[in-house]
Amino acid sequence: MLELYGHVVASRLLLGTARYPSPAILAEAVHASKTDIVTVSLRREMAGSRAGGAFFELIRTLGVRVLPNTAGCHTVAEAVLTAKMAREVFATDWIKLEVIGNHDTLQPDVFALVEAARILSGEGFKVFPYTTDDLVVAEHLMEAGCQVLMPWCAPIGSAMGPVNLPALRSMRAHFPDVPLIVDAGIGRPSHAAIVMELGYDAVLLNTAVAGAADPAAMAAAFTGAIEAGHIAFRAGMLEPRDMAVPSTPVIGKAVFS
Amino acid sequence: MKLTINGEDHYTDISVLSDLLVSLEYEGEWLATAVNGELIHREDRSVFTLSDRDRIEILSPMQGG
């Protein structure tokens, strides 16, 4: 079982709620994924609109824990205020902390991220930082109070999959006891299986499911791949070899000539 | 007085935040409010006095990744 800030979850898939064709399809995907945690956000409400309320009610009916994010924030002040407003709305001290540093790559501003993480941790938040695979940044995030790390494996929404396996492997080795969740860049179930085979604890994804032709089916596919990767990691996998090794014993082989 | 609400200019005589929300048909437990970059808790809106040129943000839940 996976424990995040003292909360035990059965599923190792955290699912985003954006970009689905409809609320009904979002609900189908959440159910098919068997996830325990979905990510949500905050945006400006229009006067007289109940759009936010309708989404709020939908999320309540899903029976899952919410992880609000600070998506779209580019400064420490924006991220901290958004986190506080999210706590007010969703009644949770969990926050997926994003401080974006570049419009094109959506790369995190890791300097602002660490500063925001320190402020929010000091105010009682349980911070899930969207970060890079940089070990030094990760160390600073831990010092700032984070007990979970969420490195990207490729830019948000890129669907490239893990582009730097040595870095992800290094991060796993460097933080053997810290829950590590790959957040962003996953495009296919096989990508998720690869990072889980590295020993990652969970995967957070959104677009790969929401943008599929059949989001519910894709959610189920990811769940299977993530579970398979996790079991394989625990089972202990063979290391690749350069030469062939016969799987059938050669002792007792018949000699016909 | 002039207020900026979610990025748009408004002119009003209403000086209490909760009254302003009602007048603009902002209702619901899912709303979060901030004035000039500071969170105003739900229970404090009825005693929060607005001032000319205040910047108000009214946020609600939406889909996120």
Side-chain angles (χ1 to χ4, degrees):
Chain A
M1 301 288 267
L2 174 60
E3 186 172 324
L4 303 170
Y5 286 106
H7 182 77
V8 175
V9 293
S11 172
R12 294 176 180 271
L13 169 60
L14 289 73
L15 192 61
T17 56
R19 295 176 173 268
Y20 290 84
S22 72
I25 293 175
L26 161 61
E28 287 176 15
V30 169
H31 291 312
S33 73
K34 300 178 182 172
T35 186
D36 297 307
I37 300 168
V38 297
T39 55
V40 294
S41 194
L42 288 179
R43 284 294 181 273
R44 284 173 169 170
E45 178 85 329
M46 291 177 61
S49 168
R50 292 181 60 85
F55 179 67
F56 191 64
E57 290 304 320
L58 171 64
I59 293 299
R60 276 184 168 177
T61 64
L62 295 178
V64 292
R65 192 178 181 106
V66 296
L67 175 59
N69 69 27
T70 62
C73 293
H74 286 255
T75 68
V76 173
E78 287 176 357
V80 168
L81 177 56
T82 301
K84 290 178 180 178
M85 296 179 82
R87 182 161 63 180
E88 172 96 346
V89 170
F90 295 108
T92 177
D93 51 12
W94 282 18
I95 191 73
K96 178 188 169 187
L97 182 60
E98 297 183 35
V99 188
I100 300 300
N102 183 284
H103 287 283
D104 294 324
T105 64
L106 298 181
Q107 187 169 354
D109 177 342
V110 294
F111 306 99
L113 179 70
V114 170
E115 186 179 345
R118 182 169 288 112
I119 293 169
L120 291 171
S121 296
E123 298 197 18
F125 282 89
K126 310 293 190 297
V127 178
F128 294 66
Y130 160 64
T131 184
T132 66
D133 51 25
D134 188 296
L135 293 183
V136 178
V137 172
E139 289 279 14
H140 283 291
L141 287 168
M142 298 294 295
E143 290 166 8
C146 297
Q147 296 176 25
V148 173
L149 296 170
M150 300 209 303
W152 69 353
C153 76
I156 293 173
S158 68
M160 286 194 283
V163 296
N164 193 345
L165 284 176
L168 291 177
R169 200 177 284 122
S170 179
M171 182 171 254
R172 178 70 284 177
H174 198 72
F175 299 100
D177 301 320
V178 178
L180 297 181
I181 302 171
V182 166
D183 175 16
I186 296 283
R188 300 179 177 196
S190 55
H191 297 158
I194 287 171
V195 299
M196 294 303 290
E197 287 175 3
L198 293 179
Y200 276 71
D201 296 285
V203 169
L204 195 165
L205 55 88
N206 188 154
T207 311
V209 167
D214 184 341
M218 187 60 77
F222 267 105
T223 297
I226 289 166
E227 184 67 11
H230 176 63
I231 293 171
F233 170 72
R234 292 181 61 188
M237 291 169 289
L238 295 183
E239 290 301 317
R241 302 169 60 121
D242 292 331
M243 302 299 286
V245 177
S247 52
T248 301
V250 294
I251 296 175
K253 177 179 175 293
V255 179
F256 296 114
S257 61
Chain B
M1 63 183 164
K2 176 186 174 184
L3 302 173
T4 303
I5 303 174
N6 283 352
E8 295 186 358
D9 290 344
H10 283 257
Y11 295 88
T12 182
D13 293 326
I14 298 174
S15 59
V16 176
L17 179 57
S18 58
D19 293 342
L20 178 73
L21 295 177
V22 171
S23 74
L24 296 175
E25 300 183 5
Y26 282 108
E27 293 180 72
E29 59 181 305
W30 56 83
L31 296 174
T33 53
V35 178
N36 300 330
E38 294 291 333
L39 172 69
I40 307 301
H41 289 288
R42 189 178 294 120
E43 59 271 23
D44 295 333
R45 292 173 193 156
S46 62
V47 294
F48 188 88
T49 302
L50 296 164
S51 302
D52 187 39
R53 299 187 183 281
D54 275 350
R55 292 173 292 107
I56 303 167
E57 292 288 335
I58 305 166
L59 305 187
S60 70
M62 75 164 290
Q63 299 86 344

Coordinates of all heavy atoms in Angstrom, one line a residue, chain A residues 150-230:
Chain A
M150 N 7.4 14.9 -6.8 CA 6.7 14.6 -8.1 C 7.5 15.1 -9.3 O 7.1 16.2 -9.8 CB 5.3 15.1 -8.1 CG 4.4 14.6 -6.9 SD 2.7 14.5 -7.3 CE 2.3 16.2 -7.7
P151 N 8.5 14.4 -9.7 CA 9.3 14.8 -10.9 C 8.5 14.5 -12.2 O 7.8 13.6 -12.3 CB 10.5 13.9 -10.8 CG 10.0 12.7 -10.1 CD 9.0 13.1 -9.1
W152 N 8.7 15.4 -13.1 CA 8.2 15.2 -14.5 C 9.0 14.1 -15.1 O 10.2 13.8 -14.7 CB 8.2 16.5 -15.3 CG 9.5 17.1 -15.7 CD1 10.8 16.6 -15.3 CD2 9.7 18.2 -16.6 NE1 11.7 17.4 -15.9 CE2 11.1 18.4 -16.7 CE3 8.9 19.0 -17.3 CZ2 11.7 19.4 -17.5 CZ3 9.4 20.0 -18.1 CH2 10.8 20.2 -18.1
C153 N 8.5 13.5 -16.2 CA 9.3 12.6 -17.0 C 9.5 13.2 -18.4 O 10.3 12.7 -19.2 CB 8.8 11.2 -17.0 SG 7.4 10.8 -18.0
A154 N 8.7 14.2 -18.7 CA 8.7 14.9 -19.9 C 7.7 16.1 -19.7 O 7.0 16.2 -18.8 CB 8.2 14.1 -21.1
P155 N 7.8 17.1 -20.6 CA 6.9 18.3 -20.4 C 5.4 17.9 -20.4 O 5.0 16.9 -21.0 CB 7.2 19.1 -21.7 CG 8.6 18.8 -22.0 CD 8.7 17.3 -21.7
I156 N 4.7 18.7 -19.6 CA 3.2 18.5 -19.4 C 2.5 18.3 -20.8 O 2.7 19.2 -21.7 CB 2.6 19.7 -18.7 CG1 3.2 19.7 -17.2 CG2 1.1 19.6 -18.6 CD1 2.7 20.9 -16.4
G157 N 1.7 17.3 -20.9 CA 0.9 17.1 -22.1 C 1.7 16.7 -23.3 O 1.1 16.5 -24.4
S158 N 3.0 16.5 -23.2 CA 3.8 16.1 -24.4 C 3.6 14.7 -24.8 O 3.8 14.4 -26.0 CB 5.3 16.4 -24.1 OG 5.8 15.5 -23.2
A159 N 3.2 13.8 -23.9 CA 3.0 12.4 -24.2 C 4.3 11.7 -24.7 O 4.3 10.7 -25.3 CB 1.9 12.2 -25.2
M160 N 5.5 12.3 -24.4 CA 6.7 11.8 -24.8 C 7.2 10.5 -24.0 O 8.0 9.7 -24.4 CB 7.8 12.8 -24.8 CG 7.8 13.8 -25.9 SD 9.3 14.8 -26.0 CE 9.1 15.9 -24.6
G161 N 6.7 10.4 -22.8 CA 7.1 9.4 -21.9 C 8.5 9.7 -21.3 O 9.0 10.8 -21.6
P162 N 9.0 8.8 -20.5 CA 10.3 9.1 -19.8 C 11.4 9.4 -20.8 O 11.9 8.5 -21.5 CB 10.6 7.9 -19.0 CG 9.7 6.8 -19.6 CD 8.5 7.5 -20.2
V163 N 11.9 10.6 -20.8 CA 13.0 11.0 -21.7 C 14.4 10.9 -21.1 O 15.4 11.0 -21.8 CB 12.8 12.4 -22.3 CG1 11.5 12.5 -23.1 CG2 12.8 13.5 -21.2
N164 N 14.4 10.8 -19.8 CA 15.7 10.7 -19.1 C 15.7 9.6 -18.0 O 15.6 9.9 -16.8 CB 16.1 12.1 -18.5 CG 17.5 12.1 -18.1 OD1 18.2 11.1 -18.0 ND2 18.0 13.4 -17.8
L165 N 15.8 8.4 -18.5 CA 15.7 7.3 -17.6 C 16.8 7.3 -16.5 O 16.6 7.0 -15.4 CB 15.7 5.9 -18.3 CG 14.3 5.6 -19.0 CD1 14.5 4.3 -19.8 CD2 13.2 5.5 -18.0
P166 N 18.0 7.6 -16.9 CA 19.1 7.6 -15.9 C 18.8 8.6 -14.8 O 19.1 8.3 -13.6 CB 20.3 8.0 -16.7 CG 20.1 7.5 -18.1 CD 18.6 7.7 -18.3
A167 N 18.2 9.7 -15.1 CA 17.9 10.7 -14.1 C 16.8 10.2 -13.1 O 16.9 10.3 -11.9 CB 17.5 12.0 -14.7
L168 N 15.8 9.6 -13.7 CA 14.7 9.0 -12.9 C 15.2 7.9 -12.0 O 14.9 7.7 -10.8 CB 13.6 8.5 -13.8 CG 12.7 9.6 -14.5 CD1 11.7 8.9 -15.4 CD2 12.1 10.5 -13.5
R169 N 16.1 7.1 -12.6 CA 16.7 6.0 -11.8 C 17.5 6.5 -10.7 O 17.5 6.0 -9.5 CB 17.6 5.1 -12.8 CG 17.9 3.7 -12.3 CD 18.6 2.9 -13.4 NE 17.8 2.5 -14.5 CZ 18.0 2.8 -15.7 NH1 19.0 3.6 -16.1 NH2 17.2 2.3 -16.7
S170 N 18.3 7.6 -11.0 CA 19.1 8.2 -10.0 C 18.3 8.7 -8.8 O 18.6 8.6 -7.6 CB 20.0 9.3 -10.6 OG 20.8 9.9 -9.7
M171 N 17.2 9.4 -9.2 CA 16.3 9.9 -8.1 C 15.7 8.9 -7.3 O 15.7 9.0 -6.0 CB 15.2 10.8 -8.8 CG 14.3 11.5 -7.8 SD 13.2 12.6 -8.6 CE 13.9 14.2 -8.2
R172 N 15.3 7.7 -7.9 CA 14.8 6.6 -7.1 C 15.9 6.1 -6.1 O 15.6 5.8 -4.9 CB 14.3 5.5 -8.0 CG 13.8 4.3 -7.3 CD 12.4 4.5 -6.6 NE 12.5 5.2 -5.3 CZ 11.5 5.6 -4.6 NH1 10.2 5.3 -5.0 NH2 11.6 6.2 -3.5
A173 N 17.1 6.0 -6.6 CA 18.2 5.5 -5.7 C 18.5 6.5 -4.6 O 18.9 6.1 -3.5 CB 19.4 5.2 -6.6
H174 N 18.4 7.8 -5.0 CA 18.8 8.8 -4.0 C 17.8 9.0 -2.9 O 18.2 9.4 -1.8 CB 19.0 10.1 -4.8 CG 19.8 11.1 -4.0 ND1 21.2 11.0 -3.8 CD2 19.5 12.3 -3.4 CE1 21.6 12.0 -3.1 NE2 20.6 12.8 -2.8
F175 N 16.6 8.7 -3.2 CA 15.5 8.9 -2.2 C 14.7 7.6 -2.0 O 13.5 7.5 -2.4 CB 14.5 10.0 -2.7 CG 15.1 11.3 -2.8 CD1 15.5 11.8 -4.0 CD2 15.4 12.1 -1.7 CE1 16.1 13.1 -4.2 CE2 15.9 13.4 -1.8 CZ 16.3 13.9 -3.1
P176 N 15.4 6.6 -1.5 CA 14.7 5.2 -1.4 C 13.5 5.2 -0.6 O 12.6 4.3 -0.8 CB 15.8 4.4 -0.8 CG 16.7 5.3 -0.1 CD 16.7 6.6 -0.8
D177 N 13.3 6.1 0.4 CA 12.2 6.0 1.3 C 11.2 7.1 1.1 O 10.2 7.3 1.9 CB 12.7 6.1 2.8 CG 13.7 4.9 3.0 OD1 13.4 3.8 2.6 OD2 14.7 5.2 3.7
V178 N 11.4 7.9 0.1 CA 10.4 9.1 -0.2 C 9.4 8.6 -1.3 O 9.9 8.1 -2.3 CB 11.2 10.3 -0.6 CG1 10.2 11.4 -1.0 CG2 12.2 10.7 0.4
P179 N 8.1 8.8 -1.0 CA 7.2 8.5 -2.1 C 7.5 9.4 -3.3 O 7.6 10.6 -3.2 CB 5.8 8.9 -1.5 CG 6.0 8.8 0.0 CD 7.4 9.2 0.2
L180 N 7.7 8.7 -4.5 CA 8.0 9.4 -5.7 C 6.9 9.1 -6.7 O 6.6 8.0 -7.0 CB 9.4 8.9 -6.3 CG 10.6 9.1 -5.5 CD1 11.9 8.6 -6.2 CD2 10.8 10.6 -5.2
I181 N 6.4 10.2 -7.2 CA 5.3 10.1 -8.2 C 5.7 10.8 -9.5 O 6.0 12.0 -9.4 CB 4.0 10.8 -7.6 CG1 3.6 10.2 -6.3 CG2 2.8 10.7 -8.6 CD1 2.5 10.9 -5.5
V182 N 5.7 10.1 -10.5 CA 6.0 10.7 -11.8 C 4.8 11.5 -12.2 O 3.6 11.0 -12.3 CB 6.4 9.7 -12.9 CG1 6.3 10.3 -14.3 CG2 7.7 9.1 -12.6
D183 N 5.0 12.8 -12.5 CA 3.9 13.7 -12.8 C 4.3 14.4 -14.1 O 5.2 15.2 -14.1 CB 3.8 14.7 -11.7 CG 2.7 15.8 -12.0 OD1 1.9 15.6 -12.9 OD2 2.7 16.8 -11.3
A184 N 3.5 14.2 -15.1 CA 3.6 14.9 -16.4 C 4.5 14.2 -17.4 O 5.5 13.6 -17.0 CB 4.1 16.3 -16.2
G185 N 4.0 14.2 -18.6 CA 4.8 13.6 -19.7 C 4.4 12.2 -20.2 O 4.9 11.8 -21.2
I186 N 3.6 11.5 -19.4 CA 3.2 10.2 -19.7 C 2.2 10.2 -20.8 O 1.3 10.9 -20.8 CB 2.6 9.5 -18.5 CG1 3.6 9.3 -17.3 CG2 2.0 8.1 -18.9 CD1 4.6 8.2 -17.5
G187 N 2.5 9.4 -21.9 CA 1.6 9.3 -23.0 C 0.9 8.0 -23.2 O -0.3 7.9 -23.7
R188 N 1.5 6.9 -22.8 CA 1.0 5.6 -23.0 C 1.1 4.7 -21.7 O 2.0 5.0 -20.9 CB 1.8 4.9 -24.1 CG 1.7 5.7 -25.4 CD 2.5 5.0 -26.5 NE 2.3 5.8 -27.8 CZ 2.7 5.3 -28.9 NH1 3.2 4.1 -29.1 NH2 2.5 6.0 -30.0
P189 N 0.3 3.7 -21.6 CA 0.4 2.8 -20.5 C 1.8 2.2 -20.4 O 2.3 2.0 -19.3 CB -0.6 1.7 -20.8 CG -1.7 2.4 -21.5 CD -0.9 3.4 -22.4
S190 N 2.5 1.9 -21.5 CA 3.8 1.4 -21.4 C 4.8 2.4 -20.8 O 5.7 2.0 -20.1 CB 4.3 1.0 -22.8 OG 4.3 2.1 -23.7
H191 N 4.6 3.7 -21.0 CA 5.4 4.7 -20.3 C 5.3 4.6 -18.8 O 6.2 4.6 -18.0 CB 5.0 6.1 -20.7 CG 5.2 6.4 -22.2 ND1 4.6 7.4 -22.8 CD2 6.0 5.8 -23.1 CE1 4.9 7.4 -24.1 NE2 5.8 6.5 -24.3
A192 N 4.0 4.4 -18.4 CA 3.7 4.3 -16.9 C 4.4 3.0 -16.4 O 4.9 3.0 -15.3 CB 2.2 4.3 -16.7
A193 N 4.3 1.9 -17.1 CA 4.9 0.7 -16.7 C 6.4 0.8 -16.5 O 7.0 0.3 -15.6 CB 4.5 -0.4 -17.7
I194 N 7.0 1.5 -17.4 CA 8.5 1.7 -17.4 C 8.9 2.4 -16.1 O 9.8 2.0 -15.4 CB 9.0 2.5 -18.6 CG1 8.9 1.6 -19.9 CG2 10.4 3.0 -18.4 CD1 9.2 2.4 -21.1
V195 N 8.2 3.5 -15.7 CA 8.6 4.2 -14.5 C 8.3 3.4 -13.3 O 9.0 3.5 -12.3 CB 8.0 5.7 -14.5 CG1 8.5 6.5 -15.7 CG2 6.5 5.7 -14.4
M196 N 7.2 2.7 -13.3 CA 6.9 1.8 -12.2 C 7.9 0.7 -12.0 O 8.3 0.3 -10.9 CB 5.5 1.3 -12.3 CG 4.4 2.3 -12.2 SD 4.3 3.3 -10.7 CE 3.8 2.1 -9.5
E197 N 8.4 0.2 -13.1 CA 9.5 -0.8 -13.1 C 10.8 -0.3 -12.5 O 11.6 -1.0 -12.0 CB 9.7 -1.4 -14.5 CG 8.6 -2.3 -15.0 CD 8.8 -2.8 -16.4 OE1 9.9 -2.4 -17.0 OE2 8.0 -3.5 -16.9
L198 N 10.9 1.1 -12.6 CA 12.1 1.7 -12.0 C 11.9 1.8 -10.4 O 12.9 2.2 -9.7 CB 12.3 3.1 -12.5 CG 12.7 3.3 -14.0 CD1 12.8 4.7 -14.4 CD2 14.0 2.5 -14.3
G199 N 10.7 1.5 -10.0 CA 10.5 1.6 -8.5 C 9.8 2.8 -8.1 O 9.7 3.1 -6.9
Y200 N 9.2 3.6 -9.0 CA 8.4 4.7 -8.6 C 7.1 4.2 -8.0 O 6.7 3.1 -8.2 CB 8.1 5.6 -9.9 CG 9.3 6.6 -10.1 CD1 10.5 6.1 -10.5 CD2 9.2 7.9 -9.7 CE1 11.6 6.9 -10.6 CE2 10.3 8.7 -9.8 CZ 11.5 8.2 -10.3 OH 12.6 9.0 -10.4
D201 N 6.6 5.1 -7.1 CA 5.5 4.7 -6.2 C 4.2 4.9 -6.9 O 3.2 4.2 -6.5 CB 5.6 5.5 -4.9 CG 6.8 5.1 -4.1 OD1 6.8 4.0 -3.5 OD2 7.7 5.9 -4.1
A202 N 4.1 5.8 -7.8 CA 2.8 6.1 -8.4 C 3.0 7.0 -9.6 O 4.1 7.5 -9.9 CB 1.9 6.8 -7.4
V203 N 1.9 7.2 -10.4 CA 2.0 8.0 -11.6 C 0.8 9.0 -11.5 O -0.3 8.6 -11.2 CB 1.9 7.2 -12.9 CG1 1.6 8.0 -14.1 CG2 3.1 6.3 -13.0
L204 N 1.0 10.2 -11.9 CA -0.1 11.2 -12.0 C -0.2 11.6 -13.5 O 0.8 12.0 -14.1 CB 0.2 12.4 -11.1 CG -0.9 13.4 -10.9 CD1 -0.6 14.4 -9.7 CD2 -1.4 14.2 -12.1
L205 N -1.3 11.4 -14.0 CA -1.5 11.8 -15.4 C -2.9 12.3 -15.7 O -3.8 12.1 -14.9 CB -1.2 10.6 -16.3 CG -1.9 9.3 -16.1 CD1 -3.2 9.2 -16.9 CD2 -1.0 8.1 -16.5
N206 N -3.1 12.9 -16.8 CA -4.4 13.5 -17.2 C -4.6 13.4 -18.7 O -5.5 12.6 -19.1 CB -4.4 15.0 -16.8 CG -5.7 15.6 -16.9 OD1 -6.0 16.6 -16.2 ND2 -6.6 15.2 -17.8
T207 N -3.8 14.1 -19.5 CA -4.1 14.2 -20.9 C -4.1 12.8 -21.6 O -4.9 12.6 -22.5 CB -3.1 15.1 -21.6 OG1 -3.0 16.3 -20.8 CG2 -3.5 15.4 -23.0
A208 N -3.3 11.9 -21.2 CA -3.2 10.6 -21.9 C -4.5 9.8 -21.8 O -4.8 9.1 -22.7 CB -2.0 9.8 -21.3
V209 N -5.2 10.1 -20.7 CA -6.5 9.4 -20.5 C -7.6 10.3 -21.1 O -8.4 9.9 -21.9 CB -6.8 9.2 -19.0 CG1 -8.3 8.8 -18.8 CG2 -5.9 8.1 -18.5
A210 N -7.6 11.6 -20.8 CA -8.7 12.5 -21.2 C -8.7 12.6 -22.7 O -9.8 12.8 -23.3 CB -8.6 13.8 -20.6
G211 N -7.5 12.6 -23.4 CA -7.5 12.8 -24.8 C -7.6 11.5 -25.6 O -7.5 11.5 -26.8
A212 N -7.8 10.4 -24.9 CA -7.9 9.1 -25.7 C -9.3 9.0 -26.3 O -10.2 9.7 -25.9 CB -7.7 7.9 -24.7
A213 N -9.4 8.2 -27.3 CA -10.7 8.0 -28.0 C -11.7 7.5 -27.1 O -12.9 7.8 -27.1 CB -10.5 7.1 -29.2
D214 N -11.2 6.6 -26.1 CA -12.1 6.0 -25.1 C -11.5 6.2 -23.8 O -10.7 5.4 -23.3 CB -12.4 4.5 -25.4 CG -13.4 3.9 -24.5 OD1 -13.6 4.5 -23.4 OD2 -13.9 2.8 -24.8
P215 N -11.7 7.3 -23.1 CA -11.0 7.6 -21.9 C -11.2 6.6 -20.8 O -10.2 6.3 -20.1 CB -11.6 9.0 -21.4 CG -12.0 9.6 -22.7 CD -12.5 8.5 -23.5
A216 N -12.4 6.0 -20.6 CA -12.6 5.0 -19.6 C -11.7 3.8 -19.9 O -11.1 3.2 -19.0 CB -14.0 4.6 -19.5
A217 N -11.7 3.3 -21.1 CA -10.9 2.2 -21.4 C -9.4 2.5 -21.2 O -8.6 1.6 -20.7 CB -11.1 1.8 -22.9
M218 N -9.0 3.7 -21.6 CA -7.6 4.0 -21.4 C -7.2 4.1 -19.9 O -6.1 3.7 -19.5 CB -7.3 5.4 -22.1 CG -5.8 5.7 -22.1 SD -4.7 4.5 -22.9 CE -5.1 4.9 -24.6
A219 N -8.1 4.6 -19.1 CA -7.9 4.7 -17.7 C -7.7 3.3 -17.1 O -6.8 3.0 -16.3 CB -9.1 5.3 -17.0
A220 N -8.5 2.3 -17.6 CA -8.3 0.9 -17.1 C -7.0 0.4 -17.6 O -6.3 -0.4 -16.9 CB -9.5 0.1 -17.6
A221 N -6.6 0.7 -18.8 CA -5.3 0.3 -19.4 C -4.2 0.8 -18.5 O -3.2 0.1 -18.2 CB -5.2 0.7 -20.8
F222 N -4.2 2.1 -18.2 CA -3.2 2.6 -17.3 C -3.1 2.0 -15.9 O -2.0 1.7 -15.4 CB -3.4 4.1 -17.2 CG -2.6 4.9 -18.2 CD1 -3.3 5.5 -19.2 CD2 -1.2 5.1 -18.1 CE1 -2.6 6.3 -20.2 CE2 -0.5 5.8 -19.1 CZ -1.2 6.4 -20.1
T223 N -4.3 1.7 -15.4 CA -4.3 1.1 -14.1 C -3.6 -0.3 -14.1 O -2.8 -0.7 -13.3 CB -5.8 0.9 -13.6 OG1 -6.3 2.2 -13.4 CG2 -5.8 0.2 -12.3
G224 N -3.9 -1.1 -15.2 CA -3.3 -2.4 -15.4 C -1.8 -2.3 -15.6 O -1.0 -3.0 -15.0
A225 N -1.3 -1.3 -16.4 CA 0.1 -1.1 -16.6 C 0.8 -0.7 -15.4 O 2.0 -1.2 -15.1 CB 0.3 -0.1 -17.7
I226 N 0.2 0.2 -14.6 CA 0.9 0.7 -13.4 C 1.0 -0.4 -12.4 O 2.1 -0.6 -11.7 CB 0.1 1.9 -12.8 CG1 0.3 3.1 -13.7 CG2 0.5 2.2 -11.4 CD1 -0.7 4.2 -13.5
E227 N 0.0 -1.2 -12.2 CA 0.0 -2.3 -11.3 C 1.1 -3.4 -11.8 O 1.8 -3.9 -10.9 CB -1.4 -3.0 -11.2 CG -1.5 -4.1 -10.2 CD -1.3 -3.6 -8.7 OE1 -1.3 -2.4 -8.5 OE2 -1.1 -4.5 -7.9
A228 N 1.1 -3.6 -13.1 CA 2.0 -4.6 -13.6 C 3.5 -4.1 -13.3 O 4.3 -4.9 -12.9 CB 1.8 -4.8 -15.1
G229 N 3.7 -2.9 -13.6 CA 5.1 -2.3 -13.4 C 5.5 -2.4 -11.9 O 6.6 -2.7 -11.6
H230 N 4.5 -2.1 -11.1 CA 4.8 -2.1 -9.6 C 5.1 -3.5 -9.2 O 6.1 -3.8 -8.4 CB 3.6 -1.5 -8.8 CG 3.8 -1.6 -7.4 ND1 4.8 -0.9 -6.7 CD2 3.1 -2.3 -6.4 CE1 4.7 -1.2 -5.4 NE2 3.7 -2.0 -5.2

